[in-house]
Amino acid sequence: MGFVFSKSMNDSLRAQQEFMAMNSRLQLERQLLMQNQMRERQTAMQIAWTREFLKYFGAFFGLAAVGLTAGAIKKKNPGVLLPIVPLSFIFAYQYDMGYGTLLQRIKG
């Protein structure tokens, strides 16, 4: 008599364990999907911020390039153009981040 009860209890316990394992697997899959979505949203936000920053920095860079070029011509001193070099590197980096393939290269 006790064997019948213990057998049904074992079957019930095994079914409950399988259900819990399936439940935890589903929960893990959902967590991974949510993490991927959050990472994609964060990347999209970073690209959007970079594009917005690039608008303002591009305007500043253009004005600085024109002003420094005019100053170099007026003073006849090409050394006045030196600040354009680091500004151009920053501009190129921001452009590559916003409109280029920098993020894909970083992921790779």
Side-chain angles (χ1 to χ4, degrees):
M1 190 74 161
F3 178 71
V4 173
F5 287 127
S6 68
K7 185 175 181 184
S8 67
M9 291 277 286
N10 284 340
D11 290 343
S12 174
L13 183 63
R14 187 174 301 118
Q16 189 175 5
Q17 286 175 342
E18 288 175 7
F19 176 74
M20 289 175 60
M22 182 185 68
N23 224 6
S24 65
R25 189 176 337 112
L26 282 174
Q27 186 178 9
L28 181 63
E29 288 174 5
R30 288 180 183 151
Q31 284 178 348
L32 289 174
L33 285 173
M34 190 170 64
Q35 284 177 353
N36 286 336
Q37 275 185 337
M38 292 301 289
R39 187 175 20 253
E40 287 173 4
R41 286 180 184 174
Q42 188 177 15
T43 303
M45 186 69 110
Q46 186 177 11
I47 290 172
W49 183 89
T50 301
R51 288 179 178 177
E52 190 66 26
F53 175 78
L54 187 62
K55 290 176 189 176
Y56 293 103
F57 188 77
F60 166 73
F61 178 72
L63 288 174
V66 169
L68 290 172
T69 304
I73 291 171
K74 187 175 181 181
K75 292 187 178 188
K76 296 182 181 175
N77 181 7
V80 176
L81 291 173
L82 261 145
I84 289 180
V85 175
L87 290 176
S88 65
F89 279 107
I90 295 170
F91 184 76
Y93 175 81
Q94 293 296 331
Y95 183 83
D96 192 25
M97 181 81 152
Y99 295 101
T101 59
L102 180 67
L103 289 177
Q104 286 82 17
R105 291 193 315 261
I106 289 172
K107 286 180 184 177

